[in-house]
Each structure stands twice: as C-alpha cells, then as structure tokens.
Amino acid sequence: MIAAWCLAWMAAAGPAPAATATAAAPAKIEARLHERLAAIRAKAGVPRLGRRAELDAAARERAAEIAKLPMERRLGRKEPIETLLRSHGIRRFERVETRVAMLGGYDDPAAEALSQWAGGTDAHLLDRRWTAVGAGAVEAPEGVLVIVALFLEDVAPTPDLRALERKVEEGINGVRTSRGRTPLEVSEPLRRIARAHSEDMARRRYFDHVSPDGAGPADRVRARGLAYRRVSENIAMNRGEDDPVRSAVEGWVASPGHLENLLDAEVRSTGVGIAVDEDGALYFTQLFFDPATP
C-alpha cells in the first residue's frame, strides 16, 4: 500500500471565517465536493470515482482530528492513514492519498478545495488509477472549515489463480526445454500440496520453505503419502506486478539455487500452487519430484 499526504492552506480576504465557514452545512459541502469532482472528471472523459460511506466516514474523522488541533500543529500533521482506514473496514487497497484544505471566506469551499488540490493542472484529480474518493468537512472551533479528501486506488481483482499456476508450469518447462532438459509432467497431487503451502503462507503471513510448525517440503509430501527419491521446492512472493508469473519465473531463473532446482535432470514431475493474501500479495510454491523406485 502506498499512502501520501498533501496539505493546502488558504484564507480569503473578506468576511471573518466564522461567518462564512458555516454558510453551508458540512454534509452539503461534502456532497458538493463529490458532485464537482464528478463533473470535472466527466468533462475530461475520465471515469467517475465511487463514493463510499466508509471512506467518507474516514475522511470526516481525519478532518475532525485536524480541527481539534491548535492551528500551528494542523499544518504539519502527517500521521499514517492506514490505521484509520482499517478502523473503518477498509483493508485492501493499492494506494491512498490524503488532501487537506483549511478554508475561510469562500462561498463555495468545495470548489476552492478542488482548485487547490488540482494545482493548476488537474493531474491529480484526473488520475485514472483512482477508483474511489471520500470527503469529510468539519468546522474548527474558530470557524475555519477543514476539508479532507481521501483518494483511493483499489487492489486489482483477484486473478484466476489456477490459470496462473498453469502459466508457471508452462514457463518452467519452457526454461527447461530451452536449456536442453526434458519437460516435467504436471502432477495434480503435487499441485494440491504446493497450493496448501501457499495458502498457509498467505494466511499466516510468513514466507519460508519451513512452516511455523516446522514442516518442510519433504514433510508435506510424505504427509500426503507420496514416496520420493528426490524432492525440491521453489517459492516466490510478489504484489502489484503487471505480470506476476513472469516476475516469479524470472526471479527463480536469476537465482542459482532456484535455477538448479528447476533444471534438475533427475526430477520428473512438478506441481505449482498459488494463493493470495488479504492485501493482494501472491504466494507461489513449486514442487519438483522424482518418485521412489518401487
């Protein structure tokens, strides 16, 4: 996850902030911000951002936290946003950025906040990677209006893990044939063993050939009743890759120990298992196997 922070401050000349900040109720200002942002993106041909109650609530809570601080401390506030988002049930996202405006004396504070955040180019507001936005407006004790927007990029939909497993197996066999080795047979029992290890790593958040319970590749194979003469294992983990299979396979090829496993002339079959954790990270396990001679 990537989080960023940007702060904008401006007070217009004219009536005192206390007289104008409350000209519109905070809820109406939030709605106005969503409407104006949607109009800006529509005009540019950019997809509309989703409005989510939990994201609005998180933005409102952050605005309230800022509003309670003394003025001199508001300008430098840069606490991480991830904990706040989790408290509102927002756990999986690719990227989130916070925008803050503290305004007084504007008839349309939502429009002014968006103008400040656009920075004259609209590049941030028109970013196609954003998928949702939350807005919160809170009036500070002295009448200044604190507006917070949370721009969020969702994690890409979970890929077809079974299709990825087949692509890894095909990729490894492609490496083997290009290096003069015999392609490996794909074993469904090995796939299930490999898949179970990837799922365990994803669930318990570790990355190792040996589980927290002390079980290694050989233990997992024996536990499924498979007798072997030779067994080895490669694992990989990545997140946010455009081509996660290529990243995993190329990573193994670039590592002498992993390359030795996948080019081993003594092994005859293989199985790949992939799992995804709640943050979208992919865990890869590939077993290489030569059965025991009867």
Side-chain angles (χ1 to χ4, degrees):
M1 304 174 192
I2 301 173
W5 174 274
C6 181
L7 177 67
W9 161 265
M10 185 176 293
T20 56
T22 57
K28 292 183 178 180
I29 294 171
E30 294 166 3
R32 177 71 169 160
L33 190 145
H34 280 289
E35 292 167 2
R36 290 192 64 89
L37 179 58
I40 291 170
R41 290 177 67 90
K43 184 177 180 179
V46 179
R48 184 188 184 105
L49 299 180
R51 181 177 183 179
R52 301 174 189 169
E54 64 274 20
L55 202 53
D56 278 347
R60 198 172 300 121
E61 182 175 334
R62 179 48 53 92
E65 292 172 353
I66 295 172
K68 292 177 182 177
L69 293 173
M71 180 64 73
E72 65 273 13
R73 291 182 57 197
R74 293 177 195 163
L75 297 175
R77 183 178 174 84
K78 296 184 179 181
E79 284 83 350
I81 196 69
E82 287 85 353
T83 301
L84 174 63
L85 293 181
R86 285 180 178 272
S87 72
H88 288 273
I90 305 168
R91 291 182 164 275
R92 294 190 61 187
F93 53 88
E94 192 65 39
R95 183 173 56 124
V96 63
E97 289 188 10
T98 304
R99 291 294 185 268
V100 179
M102 290 184 284
L103 307 171
Y106 290 96
D107 294 331
D108 190 344
E112 176 57 27
L114 288 171
S115 176
Q116 292 183 18
W117 297 336
T121 65
D122 283 349
H124 178 80
L125 304 183
L126 300 180
D127 191 332
R128 290 179 175 270
R129 294 172 296 175
W130 299 131
T131 52
V133 64
V138 173
E139 186 181 349
E142 74 281 7
V144 169
L145 188 70
V146 178
I147 301 178
V148 171
L150 298 176
F151 291 85
L152 184 136
E153 178 186 352
D154 283 302
V155 173
T158 302
D160 183 340
L161 299 182
R162 303 299 170 256
L164 294 185
E165 291 170 353
R166 293 190 294 271
K167 286 183 65 176
V168 173
E169 292 159 352
E170 292 166 0
I172 294 301
N173 275 336
V175 173
R176 284 179 64 89
T177 55
S178 71
R179 306 287 181 99
R181 300 291 194 273
T182 303
L184 300 173
E185 298 177 359
V186 175
S187 162
E188 192 58 39
L190 290 179
R191 274 180 175 168
R192 289 194 291 269
I193 297 169
R195 195 174 296 149
H197 183 54
S198 289
E199 290 171 350
D200 188 50
M201 288 192 292
R203 183 177 63 257
R204 295 202 275 178
R205 298 300 185 95
Y206 70 94
F207 181 64
D208 203 314
H209 294 288
V210 179
S211 74
D213 304 321
D219 300 307
R220 292 188 284 273
V221 168
R222 282 195 298 267
R224 295 298 183 97
L226 298 181
Y228 63 88
R229 189 175 68 87
R230 193 181 191 88
V231 64
S232 56
E233 180 183 83
N234 284 349
I235 59 175
M237 178 179 65
N238 60 55
R239 180 175 180 271
E241 297 283 351
D242 291 334
D243 190 339
V245 168
R246 180 177 179 180
S247 177
V249 172
E250 289 185 351
W252 288 335
V253 172
S255 166
H258 294 88
L259 182 62
E260 181 180 355
N261 284 345
L262 66 89
L263 292 181
D264 190 342
E266 299 298 319
V267 297
R268 295 169 48 186
S269 56
T270 189
V272 173
I274 303 175
V276 60
D277 69 16
E278 65 177 13
D279 292 326
L282 292 171
Y283 292 75
F284 298 74
T285 301
Q286 179 163 27
L287 284 168
F288 301 90
F289 184 83
D290 183 35
T293 303

